[in-house]
Amino acid sequence: MAIKNRRHEPDTMVKLITTFNVLSWLVIGVVLVLYAMVNPIRASDYFNRSSAPGGGVAMLSAKLLLFLNIVVSLWGMAVNAMRNKRRSDKFRISLILSALISIAAFVLMMIYM
């Protein structure tokens, strides 16, 4: 007698963890775009730049997004820890990485910007 597999699709918690993970990396991408728009990469632009219009608002938005990303990543790690019951369940390393990147970027932005 074979055991019937009743698992057809991921449950709500697994979908929620995946959503937190994708949202976290999208926020990091948006912050990188905001930072690239405000701070030029080329050396000639760096030395000859004047204050970019809307730069203060963009950097404030980037800081706010990074802080919210830290909250989302920690919330996703908490949901992942609650869900981690079976042997086949794994902890998402990318949530930890996104939280660490967000914390480091937030601290650097608070110090240097």
Side-chain angles (χ1 to χ4, degrees):
M1 179 183 214
I3 298 174
K4 185 178 179 181
N5 186 6
R6 289 186 261 171
R7 293 187 211 167
H8 295 290
E9 62 180 34
D11 62 349
T12 306
M13 288 184 88
V14 172
K15 290 179 184 177
L16 192 63
I17 293 167
T18 304
T19 303
F20 284 144
N21 198 7
V22 169
L23 181 67
S24 177
W25 286 106
L26 283 175
V27 167
I28 288 175
V30 168
V31 168
L32 285 172
V33 168
L34 283 173
Y35 185 76
M37 286 172 47
V38 173
N39 291 327
I41 295 175
R42 295 181 304 226
S44 63
D45 290 342
Y46 182 76
F47 292 115
N48 296 327
R49 73 177 168 163
S50 59
S51 61
V57 174
M59 292 312 288
L60 183 64
S61 301
K63 289 175 189 176
L64 179 65
L65 284 172
L66 283 172
F67 180 74
L68 290 175
N69 194 31
I70 294 168
V71 172
V72 167
S73 296
L74 292 176
W75 197 9
M77 285 189 279
V79 171
N80 199 359
M82 288 189 305
R83 174 67 174 92
N84 203 5
K85 294 179 183 177
R86 297 187 191 111
R87 209 187 259 183
S88 62
D89 293 337
K90 298 199 179 354
F91 201 77
R92 304 274 176 112
I93 301 296
S94 63
L95 284 171
I96 296 171
L97 285 175
S98 67
L100 290 176
I101 289 170
S102 296
I103 290 170
F106 184 75
V107 168
L108 287 174
M109 282 184 152
M110 293 304 285
I111 291 172
Y112 293 112
M113 301 288 164

